[in-house]
Amino acid sequence: MQHSRGIGQTPWVRLTLISVGVVFSVLFLLAPVVFIFQRALESGVGFYVQTLLDPYTRHAIMLTLLVAVVTIPVNLIFGVALAWLVTRFEFTGRKVLMTLIDIPFAVSPVVAGLLYLLLYGNQGWIGSWLDDRDIQLMFAWPGLIMVTIFVTCPFVARELIPLMQQQGTSEEEAGLTLGASGWQVFRHITLPNVRWALLYGVILTNARAMGEFGAVSVISGSIRGQTNTLALHVELLAQDFNIVAAFVSASLLAFLALVTLVAKSLIEWRETRRQQQEEQTA
Amino acid sequence: MSIEIRDVNKRFGDFVAVDNMNLSIGEGELTALLGPSGSGKTTLLRIIAGLEQQDSGRIHFYGEDTTDVHVSDRGVGFVFQHYALFRHMTVFENVAFGLTVKPRKERPSKEEIRERVMKVLKLVQLDWTAKRYPSQLSGGQRQRIALARALVIEPKVLLLDEPFGALDTKVRTELRRWLRRLHDEIHVTSVFVTHDQEEALEVSDRVVIMNQGRLEQQGTPEDIYDHPANAFVFDFLGNVNQFRAQVQQGQARVEGHALTQGSWPKDRNGEGLAYVRPYEVDVLKQPEGDDLLPATVELISIIGPTVRLELTAPGSEHLVHAEVPKSRFRPLGIQQGDQVWLRLNNSRVFLAGDVLPPVGS
């Protein structure tokens, strides 16, 4: 710690700021998380496990995993392709496309869910056509996946675009002049250069896909054992005043969030260390 | 001729980058493409490599039309200004890349790859860095690795884009002399782009001067320096003073003072500009002859063994620069603000119609 007397660096100012920070973090961030686990386990580990083994809860867990397992690869491929397109090619509409990527960030998930309902629901433009062919997307698992893909599609692209812009194209061009094919350049040069940003984007996508509530709740219909994801399950249980069971399910989501945070910090820590090494030796 | 460039044009929107370029590059020669920024030299180099597609025109390598050959099949070695080493690979992997990506039936065996990589690493005197990462090397070392990486595929031509541009002056000078010696050893046909006239003149066998996408002059460094084809080349090849001049009946004058040495059109009359290099300007304390131009000393700066003077003189809109050896300057006892006399040696007069707008001054 450097004790330089910068702006407001008197001891009492520092003390006040630190206390405010600590109190705030504990009250608003740490306490709820601890509380979730405390409530979830208050009826004992046996009850905890039993609740998780409840068929509806098990189904919610499996459905949530299914949504994540489909969403991640789709958005991974979409994100990489999009980042490649907007950073490696000049074309008209490029700027518009880059703005479009942000729509899912800007639009409230509930609105997104509603839009999907209007478009793909039984009465919707596309939905009624599909309904005639006995294909139901809304109030079924395909709809859950569709809105989740929509909500999480910017994460990977958003992580990759700034990095790929900063890294430029000359390494890839060097690869080409050395005789590599387009695929070899992508596989051996582009991909390794962005691998940590890619992983980071996947982690964020995963966290959001599992925890998404707004959009999913509009199009799900919350049918137990059919279209109830973990996040929706928590709400249903809470509405039934089955508080402990709600907390058990919530603790699962919280646990996933914590794992995500740890993974994210690990990646960031690794990246900073690598950058420091580069600066030292440069 | 190993590289033939025929009627090549390239535009970026409204900007004409390469304007109907015709050029032949000799086998085994080290050629410098020299020009100010925006002159199209890098674009031309990238077109030769196949990294950029020309709008029209053809490129031939050793008589073979390579215009439609993809960059990865063209067999060029390309060295980038900012090295473009693969940051996640070791030096060895970087240099080996061009061999390991070859299709299986052309790919050398593991032992042969190792042998060839170590051989070029020895050539650039960096075999001891094989296990390191690019981030652990200095700028000069990184550029030598980039060169090794380009050479390992035994390219038909070696193309270097401002190869020393990102390095500091001392390393830059060392590295370009080293490149010259290396080229004398391996004799691969090489083209390098630079905006630094000193670099071009020192290193290359031939210099090609470009401006606004067009070829201004080409020749040996000495040839170009001693016989600039036009005012642009004269101006670009180093600091130069300009004086308003008149040519009448085979005699050139600046402000009525006849020029005794130099060259100008003898058979035409008219207004023009006289170009004189700073070291061709003699500074005298007394008027010893009628070919002298009066001037006032504005600034004296001593840089090592040379004294640089900035003067105002009639006939020149800009400050006149003069360079005098310190040993000759001292006895004159000239102070700032003194009235002095200038003799313009080896001046070159271009008449108004021939004068191109000077660049950069």
Side-chain angles (χ1 to χ4, degrees):
Chain A
M1 275 290 278
Q2 275 234 307
H3 290 265
S4 62
R5 293 264 163 137
I7 304 162
Q9 281 278 349
T10 49
W12 70 267
V13 169
R14 187 147 20 99
L15 198 69
T16 316
L17 285 174
I18 291 174
S19 332
V20 169
V22 167
V23 169
F24 188 89
S25 310
V26 168
L27 272 184
F28 285 85
L29 302 173
L30 189 62
V33 176
V34 174
F35 188 64
I36 289 173
F37 287 102
Q38 193 239 318
R39 287 302 299 270
L41 290 166
E42 78 183 355
S43 304
V45 178
F47 182 79
Y48 187 89
V49 175
Q50 202 186 353
T51 313
L52 284 184
L53 291 178
D54 169 75
Y56 288 143
T57 312
R58 257 179 23 218
H59 185 272
I61 295 172
M62 292 317 285
L63 185 61
T64 305
L65 287 178
L66 171 76
V67 167
V69 161
V70 178
T71 302
I72 290 170
V74 169
N75 277 339
L76 182 70
I77 293 168
F78 171 76
V80 171
L82 196 68
W84 177 277
L85 185 69
V86 299
T87 57
R88 295 299 181 254
F89 297 95
E90 280 291 332
F91 53 92
T92 40
R94 188 173 148 265
K95 288 258 158 65
V96 178
L97 192 62
M98 281 176 78
T99 317
L100 281 180
I101 301 173
D102 283 341
I103 282 186
F105 279 161
V107 171
S108 160
V110 178
V111 177
L114 263 178
L115 283 174
Y116 268 71
L117 201 56
L118 287 176
L119 264 179
Y120 297 101
N122 286 354
Q123 314 297 320
W125 296 342
I126 305 170
S128 56
W129 183 85
L130 287 170
D131 194 43
D132 293 343
R133 279 146 196 83
D134 258 352
I135 300 169
Q136 197 190 352
L137 296 178
M138 296 299 108
F139 308 111
W141 63 266
L144 298 176
I145 290 173
M146 283 165 68
V147 288
T148 308
I149 286 176
F150 175 82
V151 170
T152 57
C153 80
F155 287 105
V156 170
R158 273 279 143 215
E159 285 303 317
L160 292 186
I161 289 170
L163 182 68
M164 285 172 74
Q165 266 170 346
Q166 176 223 324
Q167 288 183 341
T169 55
S170 59
E171 280 181 53
E172 285 150 9
E173 288 181 340
L176 285 178
T177 60
L178 290 166
S181 66
W183 169 250
Q184 283 175 318
V185 166
F186 179 75
R187 167 80 186 70
H188 296 293
I189 298 166
T190 314
L191 216 48
N193 275 351
V194 299
R195 60 181 187 262
W196 292 108
L198 200 63
L199 189 57
Y200 190 35
V202 165
I203 286 174
L204 289 178
T205 306
N206 180 50
R208 186 66 191 267
M210 289 187 166
E212 174 56 25
F213 180 83
V216 167
S217 84
V218 177
I219 58 100
S220 143
S222 294
I223 310 161
R224 278 203 177 111
Q226 282 186 35
T227 62
N228 217 19
T229 64
L230 210 44
L232 298 176
H233 192 55
V234 173
E235 197 211 14
L236 273 193
L237 289 170
Q239 279 171 354
D240 294 347
F241 299 105
N242 197 345
I243 300 300
V244 179
F247 271 104
V248 169
S249 295
S251 73
L252 257 188
L253 280 174
F255 176 72
L256 285 172
L258 287 178
V259 169
T260 307
L261 274 181
V262 169
K264 170 179 166 288
S265 322
L266 272 177
I267 291 177
E268 274 173 358
W269 172 76
R270 199 190 168 284
E271 274 298 277
T272 356
R273 217 182 46 154
R274 195 186 56 81
Q275 272 168 13
Q276 278 168 353
Q277 268 178 357
E278 259 182 33
E279 273 157 28
Q280 275 169 15
T281 47
Chain B
M1 286 297 141
S2 57
I3 307 176
E4 289 273 356
I5 296 153
R6 290 186 198 155
D7 308 318
V8 166
N9 284 286
K10 176 74 186 176
R11 284 166 164 275
F12 295 105
D14 288 337
F15 179 72
V16 181
V18 180
D19 189 0
N20 212 29
M21 190 67 160
N22 280 286
L23 186 64
S24 301
I25 286 159
E27 192 171 344
E29 278 184 344
L30 181 55
T31 303
L33 275 182
L34 174 66
S37 56
S39 60
K41 54 196 190 304
T42 292
T43 307
L44 183 64
L45 193 78
R46 291 172 60 87
I47 288 173
I48 299 173
L51 287 170
E52 207 81 65
Q53 186 65 47
Q54 65 269 40
D55 300 332
S56 64
R58 319 283 314 164
I59 305 283
H60 293 245
F61 283 1
Y62 298 93
E64 229 174 281
D65 192 335
T66 58
T67 314
D68 301 317
V69 177
H70 188 256
V71 45
S72 43
D73 302 320
R74 230 177 247 206
V76 296
F78 202 97
V79 175
F80 294 81
Q81 179 175 3
H82 296 286
Y83 331 122
L85 293 177
F86 309 131
R87 64 194 88 193
H88 61 280
M89 296 183 201
T90 61
V91 164
F92 181 89
E93 288 164 339
N94 260 281
V95 177
F97 185 83
L99 300 175
T100 51
V101 296
K102 275 179 194 285
R104 196 176 297 266
K105 53 183 185 300
E106 294 168 37
R107 195 188 309 157
S109 68
K110 268 217 159 90
E111 299 79 61
E112 199 191 332
I113 290 179
R114 165 158 291 277
E115 212 168 278
R116 280 172 66 178
V117 169
M118 292 318 284
K119 203 177 125 200
V120 286
L121 280 177
K122 277 207 183 71
L123 187 71
V124 300
Q125 299 152 357
L126 284 173
D127 44 330
W128 51 277
T129 65
K131 290 202 178 84
R132 301 202 176 185
Y133 282 90
S135 61
Q136 296 168 306
L137 303 179
S138 73
Q141 288 169 338
R142 286 185 212 186
Q143 199 56 300
R144 274 147 67 194
I145 296 301
L147 191 63
R149 183 179 67 177
L151 288 174
V152 81
I153 58 168
E154 290 167 1
K156 291 183 212 141
V157 298
L158 182 64
L159 307 171
L160 308 99
D161 182 13
E162 299 264 7
F164 316 118
L167 304 168
D168 60 55
T169 320
K170 191 167 170 287
V171 180
R172 202 217 285 300
T173 320
E174 278 170 20
L175 203 56
R176 72 187 187 215
R177 289 184 185 150
W178 172 84
L179 177 73
R180 178 69 249 185
R181 287 196 302 274
L182 183 74
H183 186 266
D184 291 340
E185 267 176 59
I186 58 177
H187 282 295
V188 58
T189 305
S190 309
V191 181
F192 79 102
V193 156
T194 178
H195 62 265
D196 181 340
Q197 64 278 11
E198 203 183 301
E199 192 169 294
L201 295 175
E202 180 177 337
V203 172
S204 59
D205 296 314
R206 282 180 83 74
V207 180
V208 174
I209 296 183
M210 282 183 73
N211 183 34
Q212 296 180 343
R214 286 188 307 268
L215 191 148
E216 294 286 350
Q217 190 177 3
Q218 54 170 319
T220 64
E222 200 184 354
D223 201 26
I224 282 194
Y225 195 82
D226 291 343
H227 307 287
N230 56 42
F232 171 80
V233 176
F234 207 115
D235 198 48
F236 188 69
L237 283 184
N239 276 329
V240 72
N241 298 302
Q242 296 176 4
F243 298 91
R244 280 191 303 277
Q246 299 82 38
V247 180
Q248 288 290 332
Q249 290 149 0
Q251 178 57 59
R253 292 173 198 277
V254 171
E255 292 290 302
H257 302 273
L259 296 175
T260 45
Q261 280 188 342
S263 68
W264 45 83
K266 304 282 189 227
D267 49 353
R268 288 187 303 169
N269 295 336
E271 301 273 314
L273 284 174
Y275 286 76
V276 190
R277 297 214 182 275
Y279 55 85
E280 303 279 19
V281 177
D282 276 347
V283 180
L284 305 168
K285 195 80 197 267
Q286 302 298 329
E288 301 156 5
D290 57 358
D291 57 343
L292 300 178
L293 203 63
T296 312
V297 180
E298 299 292 339
L299 186 71
I300 301 172
S301 41
I302 300 166
I303 296 146
T306 313
V307 179
R308 279 190 201 157
L309 297 149
E310 288 181 11
L311 312 106
T312 45
S316 177
E317 280 146 31
H318 307 285
L319 284 172
V320 176
H321 296 263
E323 278 178 25
V324 187
K326 196 153 87 178
S327 53
R328 236 173 59 209
F329 180 76
R330 273 279 152 75
L332 295 173
I334 292 172
Q335 302 290 319
Q336 234 150 280
D338 279 2
Q339 169 85 34
V340 294
W341 302 89
L342 304 181
R343 175 177 290 132
L344 310 179
N345 300 318
N346 277 328
S347 57
R348 179 86 192 267
V349 182
F350 295 97
L351 289 182
D354 309 333
V355 176
L356 291 163
V359 173
S361 55

